[in-house]
């Protein structure tokens, strides 16, 4: 009855680079199991012999006791006769043609390594590249799978005898930790000033800290690229960095040494504390304390700060607390505004020479550039704003098997998405596709993902806007390689992404509220204030924000006063000098814009909610010109009076949601001397009530009670919280983004899912084919 039997086990998921094989070895030893374990290009394979009771306990423990960084997606056990193994061993990895597996994101320094880093008796004391199986670089150093040292950028660093001993010991936490190194055999840092190396190793670190203490700008080569750092409490230092980087007002990210310091500068709840200390270590958007001595130049016009804790040994040592050392550092991407971050030393010397006073370099190559991730919290859970380091390339799991698809995303906050099976591999943050350098970063990233995940796309999915670089790339490649190509409307993709992360089944429809700044509409207009009835294949547009001309086209995006004037013209309101926006425009510009409005000259139509926020911000004399995306709306949100319950009204005419009554009320309030915080609150309340009202109207027509909120406007926490509260009070189930951003960073996921359902997956009946009343409109 207790005769040995055998089993073959295949496991997929995040099971490489996370200590899974040592875990299996220890488990087998504990249970007197014999056999072997190995990595393959398809996951982890195990063959074992043991008594039935031991094998049952082994299989159970594999599932229930896996290492904390592991994530098991598929687990297959096949019984077989015992093989007669005499011991248990970890055998060499096997490459399997065309097989693939998920790859671990980079992981912040673990507690064990941190103790070693700060222990004067440890051989890795103060070593900036300390790591183990439970932490350190993964995605940014891997060149190919299986994940073994020769396939990483650590290959040139031959291990010393001590490191090799740890690497080969199955019971050591550095067993097969591919980046394992020490001061004797691993990478090192150096400091350059004026093109010359002035210090190395610990001396370089201390010299770099002096640069920061003196109020100068330091370029730091980190995990996924360069940062530009300076003293966040020094207004002159921050102003210098802004001037050099050509970043006029856009907020800078901060790094603080520990949670206690963050608490001194920001208000935190438990979820935010957890996120700050998570192994992803993202930038977390936090409410600023009034008494914080972080200079307001860091985030002008805002009541929040974006803060992260150090996540590599180098960062921990660089920002180590000391009596005269800054409590917070600006830690912003190492680039000129809108370019990709620099990754290589020579590249940084060329591109950042005019930005930085000194360069803290290292000699480990970065395979994949990867910006810091940005998140905030909402309703007790993470709400992603930028999905990058620590999260990518972790896949979104889908409830269907998809064919190989490359979805190329949009123009701003670009990401791409590769699908294979039930995995959607969303890329790290690429950035705004507005220059050649970013296009090159996009193309390099796509090539790397296709190689890593063994994907040869059969379908290209793209945005309908004909001038987007990503769209042109997709169409050109589809033509060259003979691939299918599927255009997906921008706002349909937004809602589909939100549906997909929640696993909404094929055939189910939702009310999609897609609010953003710009999306190419099927009628050629610029959409952005959209109510959709949608499934994965198609959508209807029962309601949308009324069209208004963008006076001057793109100029109106940069100069919200143009939008304010357009709405004043549309509302037939007297453009008197008592309104600040009228004075800002001046009589000549006002007359020119009136002619453009009347003649529809260089005045494309838009239904954008983002542009509506811009117009109100300018009308309320908050922001007339912007230096970064959504600046006017962000600064308006920051002024909202939390105690004001007044509501501005919208008017409904057929499918049009007309804000003209609202603008008349705002002008009346301005002339009556109502405070801007009250006006800002009434506007936000009005939009929230309008969303609830329209969703209830669609429910009455369609019977659908699920609402998905997507698009960049939903990063506005005031609007989001008030809208979600009203919708839930009205009995709706509300879907929000939790895995990918609501902004265009999540667009590629939606494009991939829509293309798959249109071209590859079998059709399921939906609200459209079931004869809903809305479909018959």
């Amino acid at each position: 009855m207790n005769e040995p039997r055998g089993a073959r086990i295949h496991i997929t998921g995040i099971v490489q680079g996370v200590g899974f094989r040592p875990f299996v070895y220890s488990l087998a030893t504990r249970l007197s199991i014999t056999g072997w374990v190995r990595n393959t290009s398809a996951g982890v394979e195990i063959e074992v012999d043991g008594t039935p009771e031991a094998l049952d306990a082994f299989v159970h423990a594999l599932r229930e006791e896996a290492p904390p960084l592991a994530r098991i997606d598929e687990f297959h056990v096949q019984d077989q006769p015992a093989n007669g193994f005499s011991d248990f061993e970890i055998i060499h990895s096997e490459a399997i043609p065309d097989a693939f597996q998920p790859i671990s994101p980079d992981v912040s320094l673990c507690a064990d390594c941190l103790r070693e880093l700060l222990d004067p008796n440890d051989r890795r004391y103060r070593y900036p590249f300390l790591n183990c199986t439970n932490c350190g670089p993964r995605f940014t150093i891997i060149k190919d799978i299986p994940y073994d040292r020769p396939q990483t950028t650590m290959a040139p660093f031959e291990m010393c005898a001590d490191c090799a001993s740890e690497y080969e010991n199955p019971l050591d936490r550095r067993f097969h930790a591919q980046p394992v190194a020490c001061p004797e055999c691993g990478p090192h840092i150096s400091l350059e000033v004026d093109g010359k190396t002035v210090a190395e190793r610990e001396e370089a670190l201390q010299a770099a800290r002096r640069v920061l203490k003196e109020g100068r700008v330091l370029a730091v080569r980190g995990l996924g690229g360069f940062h530009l750092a300076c003293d966040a409490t020094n207004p002159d230092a921050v102003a210098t960095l802004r001037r050099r980087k050509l970043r006029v007002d856009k907020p800078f990210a901060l790094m603080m040494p520990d949670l206690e310091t963050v608490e001194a500068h920001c208000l935190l709840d438990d979820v935010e504390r957890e996120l700050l200390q998570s192994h992803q270590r993202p930038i977390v958007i936090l409410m600023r304390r009034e008494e914080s001595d972080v200079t307001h130049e860091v985030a002008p016009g805002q009541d929040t700060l974006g803060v992260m804790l150090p996540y590599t040994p180098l960062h921990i040592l660089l920002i180590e607390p000391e009596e005269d050392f800054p409590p917070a550092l600006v830690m912003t991407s190492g680039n000129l505004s809108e370019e990709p971050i620099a990754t290589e030393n020579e590249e940084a010397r060329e591109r950042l020479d005019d930005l930085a006073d000194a360069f803290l370099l290292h000699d480990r190559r970065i395979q994949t550039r990867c910006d810091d991730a940005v998140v905030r919290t909402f309703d007790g859970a993470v709400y992603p704003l930028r999905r990058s380091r620590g999260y990518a390339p972790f896949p979104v799991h889908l409830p269907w098997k998809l064919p190989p698809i490359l979805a190329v995303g949009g123009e701003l906050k670009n990401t791409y998405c590769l699908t294979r099976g039930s995995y959607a591999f969303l890329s790290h943050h690429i950035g705004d596709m507005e220059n050649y350098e970013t296009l090159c970063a996009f193309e390099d990233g796509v090539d790397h993902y296709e190689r890593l995940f063994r994907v040869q796309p059969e379908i290209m999915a793209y945005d309908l806007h004909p001038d987007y670089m990503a769209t042109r790339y997709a169409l050109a490649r589809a033509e060259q390689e003979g691939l299918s190509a599927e255009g997906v409307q921008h706002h349909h993709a937004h809602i589909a992404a939100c549906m997909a992360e929640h696993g909404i089944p094929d055939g189910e429809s939702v009310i999609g509220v897609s609010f953003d700044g710009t999306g190419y509409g099927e009628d050629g207009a610029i959409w952005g204030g959209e109510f959709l009835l949608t499934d994965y294949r198609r959508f209807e547009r029962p309601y949308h924000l009324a069209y208004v001309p963008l006076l001057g086209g793109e100029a109106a995006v940069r100069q919200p006063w143009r939008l304010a004037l357009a709405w004043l013209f549309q509302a037939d309101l007297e453009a008197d000098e008592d309104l600040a926006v009228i004075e800002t425009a001046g009589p000549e510009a006002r007359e020119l814009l009136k002619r453009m409005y009347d003649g529809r000259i260089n005045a494309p139509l838009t239904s954008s909610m983002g542009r509506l926020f811009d117009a109100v911000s300018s009308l309320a004399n908050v922001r007339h010109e912007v230096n970064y995306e959504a600046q006017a709306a962000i600064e308006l949100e920051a002024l909202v009076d939390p105690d004001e319950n007044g509501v501005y009204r919208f008017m409904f005419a057929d499918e049009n949601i007309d804000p003209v009554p609202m603008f008349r009320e705002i002008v009346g309030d301005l002339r009556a001397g109502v405070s801007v915080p009250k006006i800002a609150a009434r506007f936000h309340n009005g939009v929230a009530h309008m969303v609830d009202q329209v969703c209830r109207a669609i429910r009455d027509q369609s019977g659908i009670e699920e609402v998905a909120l997507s698009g960049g406007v939903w990063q506005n926490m005031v609007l989001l919280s008030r809208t979600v509260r009203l919708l839930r009070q009205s009995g709706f189930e509300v879907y929000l983004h939790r895995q990918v951003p609501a902004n265009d960073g999540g667009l590629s996921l939606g494009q991939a899912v829509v293309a798959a359902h249109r071209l590859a997956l079998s059709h399921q009946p939906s609200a459209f084919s079931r004869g809903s009343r809305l479909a018959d409109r």
Side-chain angles (χ1 to χ4, degrees), residues 603-635:
L605 294 176
T606 183
S607 61
S608 165
M609 180 59 74
R611 300 289 83 83
L612 184 69
F613 271 80
D614 289 349
V616 173
S617 183
S618 178
L619 186 59
N621 198 27
V622 174
R623 171 62 61 173
H624 301 297
E625 297 200 12
V626 300
N627 299 301
Y628 62 89
E629 186 189 14
Q631 181 180 10
I634 290 168
E635 294 182 3

Coordinates of all heavy atoms in Angstrom, one line a residue, residues 603-635:
A603 N -11.4 75.1 -36.5 CA -12.1 74.9 -35.3 C -12.8 73.6 -35.3 O -14.0 73.4 -35.4 CB -13.2 76.0 -35.2
P604 N -12.0 72.5 -35.2 CA -12.6 71.1 -35.2 C -13.5 71.0 -34.0 O -13.3 71.6 -32.9 CB -11.3 70.2 -35.1 CG -10.3 71.1 -34.5 CD -10.5 72.5 -35.0
L605 N -14.5 70.1 -34.1 CA -15.5 70.0 -33.1 C -15.0 68.9 -32.1 O -14.3 67.9 -32.4 CB -16.8 69.5 -33.6 CG -17.5 70.5 -34.5 CD1 -18.8 69.9 -35.1 CD2 -17.9 71.8 -33.7
T606 N -15.3 69.1 -30.8 CA -14.9 68.2 -29.8 C -16.1 68.0 -28.8 O -16.8 69.0 -28.5 CB -13.7 68.6 -29.0 OG1 -13.3 67.6 -28.0 CG2 -13.9 69.9 -28.2
S607 N -16.2 66.8 -28.3 CA -17.1 66.5 -27.2 C -16.4 66.1 -25.9 O -16.9 65.4 -25.0 CB -18.1 65.3 -27.6 OG -17.3 64.1 -27.8
S608 N -15.1 66.6 -25.8 CA -14.2 66.2 -24.8 C -14.6 66.7 -23.4 O -14.7 67.9 -23.2 CB -12.8 66.6 -25.1 OG -11.9 66.5 -24.0
M609 N -14.6 65.8 -22.4 CA -14.8 66.2 -21.0 C -13.6 66.8 -20.5 O -13.6 67.8 -19.7 CB -15.2 65.0 -20.2 CG -15.5 65.3 -18.7 SD -16.8 66.5 -18.4 CE -18.2 65.5 -18.7
G610 N -12.4 66.4 -20.9 CA -11.2 67.0 -20.5 C -11.1 68.5 -20.9 O -10.7 69.3 -20.1
R611 N -11.6 68.8 -22.1 CA -11.6 70.2 -22.5 C -12.6 71.0 -21.8 O -12.4 72.2 -21.6 CB -11.8 70.2 -24.0 CG -10.8 69.5 -24.9 CD -9.4 70.2 -24.9 NE -8.6 69.9 -23.8 CZ -7.8 68.8 -23.7 NH1 -7.8 67.9 -24.7 NH2 -7.1 68.6 -22.7
L612 N -13.7 70.3 -21.3 CA -14.7 71.1 -20.5 C -14.1 71.5 -19.2 O -14.3 72.6 -18.8 CB -15.9 70.2 -20.3 CG -17.1 70.9 -19.5 CD1 -17.7 71.9 -20.4 CD2 -18.1 69.9 -19.1
F613 N -13.3 70.6 -18.6 CA -12.6 71.0 -17.4 C -11.6 72.1 -17.6 O -11.5 73.1 -16.8 CB -11.8 69.8 -16.8 CG -12.6 68.9 -15.9 CD1 -13.6 68.0 -16.3 CD2 -12.5 69.1 -14.5 CE1 -14.3 67.2 -15.5 CE2 -13.2 68.3 -13.6 CZ -14.1 67.3 -14.1
D614 N -10.9 72.1 -18.7 CA -10.0 73.2 -19.1 C -10.8 74.5 -19.2 O -10.3 75.5 -18.7 CB -9.3 72.9 -20.4 CG -8.3 71.8 -20.3 OD1 -8.0 71.4 -19.2 OD2 -7.9 71.3 -21.4
A615 N -11.9 74.5 -19.9 CA -12.7 75.7 -20.1 C -13.1 76.3 -18.7 O -13.1 77.5 -18.5 CB -13.9 75.4 -21.0
V616 N -13.6 75.4 -17.8 CA -14.1 75.9 -16.5 C -12.9 76.5 -15.7 O -13.1 77.5 -15.0 CB -14.9 74.8 -15.8 CG1 -15.2 75.2 -14.4 CG2 -16.1 74.4 -16.5
S617 N -11.8 75.8 -15.8 CA -10.6 76.3 -15.1 C -10.2 77.6 -15.5 O -9.9 78.5 -14.7 CB -9.5 75.3 -15.3 OG -8.3 75.6 -14.5
S618 N -10.2 77.9 -16.8 CA -9.9 79.2 -17.3 C -11.0 80.2 -16.9 O -10.6 81.3 -16.5 CB -9.7 79.2 -18.8 OG -9.4 80.4 -19.3
L619 N -12.2 79.9 -17.1 CA -13.3 80.8 -16.8 C -13.3 81.2 -15.3 O -13.5 82.4 -15.0 CB -14.7 80.2 -17.1 CG -15.9 81.0 -17.0 CD1 -15.8 82.3 -17.9 CD2 -17.1 80.2 -17.3
A620 N -12.8 80.3 -14.5 CA -12.8 80.6 -13.0 C -11.4 81.3 -12.7 O -11.2 81.5 -11.5 CB -12.9 79.3 -12.2
N621 N -10.6 81.6 -13.7 CA -9.4 82.3 -13.5 C -8.4 81.4 -12.7 O -7.6 82.0 -11.9 CB -9.6 83.6 -12.8 CG -8.4 84.6 -12.9 OD1 -7.6 84.5 -13.9 ND2 -8.2 85.5 -12.0
V622 N -8.4 80.1 -12.9 CA -7.4 79.2 -12.3 C -6.2 79.0 -13.1 O -5.1 79.1 -12.7 CB -8.1 77.9 -11.9 CG1 -7.0 76.9 -11.4 CG2 -9.2 78.1 -10.9
R623 N -6.4 78.7 -14.4 CA -5.3 78.4 -15.3 C -5.7 78.7 -16.8 O -6.7 78.1 -17.3 CB -4.9 76.9 -15.2 CG -3.9 76.4 -16.2 CD -2.6 77.1 -16.2 NE -1.9 76.9 -14.9 CZ -0.6 77.3 -14.7 NH1 0.1 77.9 -15.8 NH2 0.0 77.2 -13.6
H624 N -5.0 79.7 -17.4 CA -5.4 80.1 -18.8 C -4.5 79.4 -19.8 O -4.8 79.3 -21.0 CB -5.3 81.6 -18.9 CG -6.2 82.3 -18.0 ND1 -7.6 82.2 -18.1 CD2 -6.0 83.2 -17.0 CE1 -8.1 83.0 -17.2 NE2 -7.2 83.6 -16.5
E625 N -3.3 79.0 -19.4 CA -2.4 78.3 -20.3 C -1.8 77.1 -19.5 O -1.6 77.2 -18.3 CB -1.2 79.2 -20.8 CG -1.8 80.4 -21.7 CD -0.7 81.0 -22.6 OE1 0.4 80.4 -22.7 OE2 -0.9 82.0 -23.1
V626 N -1.5 76.0 -20.2 CA -1.0 74.8 -19.6 C 0.4 74.4 -20.1 O 0.7 74.7 -21.2 CB -2.0 73.6 -19.7 CG1 -3.3 73.9 -19.2 CG2 -2.1 73.2 -21.2
N627 N 1.2 73.9 -19.2 CA 2.5 73.4 -19.5 C 2.6 71.9 -19.5 O 3.6 71.3 -19.9 CB 3.5 74.0 -18.5 CG 3.5 75.5 -18.5 OD1 3.8 76.1 -19.5 ND2 3.2 76.1 -17.3
Y628 N 1.6 71.2 -19.1 CA 1.5 69.7 -19.2 C 0.1 69.3 -19.2 O -0.8 70.0 -18.9 CB 2.3 69.1 -18.0 CG 1.7 69.4 -16.6 CD1 0.7 68.6 -16.1 CD2 2.2 70.4 -15.9 CE1 0.2 68.8 -14.8 CE2 1.7 70.7 -14.6 CZ 0.7 69.9 -14.1 OH 0.2 70.1 -12.9
E629 N -0.1 68.0 -19.7 CA -1.4 67.5 -19.9 C -2.3 67.6 -18.6 O -1.8 67.2 -17.5 CB -1.3 66.1 -20.4 CG -2.7 65.4 -20.7 CD -2.6 64.0 -21.0 OE1 -1.6 63.3 -20.6 OE2 -3.6 63.4 -21.5
A630 N -3.5 68.1 -18.7 CA -4.5 68.1 -17.6 C -4.1 69.1 -16.5 O -4.8 69.1 -15.4 CB -4.7 66.7 -17.0
Q631 N -3.2 70.0 -16.7 CA -2.8 70.9 -15.6 C -3.9 71.8 -15.2 O -4.1 71.9 -14.0 CB -1.6 71.8 -16.1 CG -1.1 72.8 -15.1 CD 0.0 73.7 -15.6 OE1 0.3 73.7 -16.8 NE2 0.6 74.4 -14.7
A632 N -4.7 72.3 -16.1 CA -5.8 73.2 -15.7 C -6.8 72.4 -14.8 O -7.3 72.9 -13.8 CB -6.5 73.7 -17.0
A633 N -7.1 71.2 -15.2 CA -8.1 70.4 -14.5 C -7.6 70.0 -13.1 O -8.3 70.0 -12.1 CB -8.5 69.1 -15.3
I634 N -6.3 69.7 -13.0 CA -5.7 69.3 -11.8 C -5.7 70.4 -10.8 O -6.0 70.2 -9.6 CB -4.2 68.8 -12.0 CG1 -4.3 67.4 -12.8 CG2 -3.5 68.6 -10.7 CD1 -2.9 67.0 -13.3
E635 N -5.4 71.6 -11.2 CA -5.3 72.7 -10.3 C -6.7 73.2 -9.9 O -6.9 73.6 -8.8 CB -4.6 73.9 -11.0 CG -3.1 73.6 -11.2 CD -2.3 74.7 -11.8 OE1 -2.9 75.8 -12.0 OE2 -1.1 74.5 -12.1

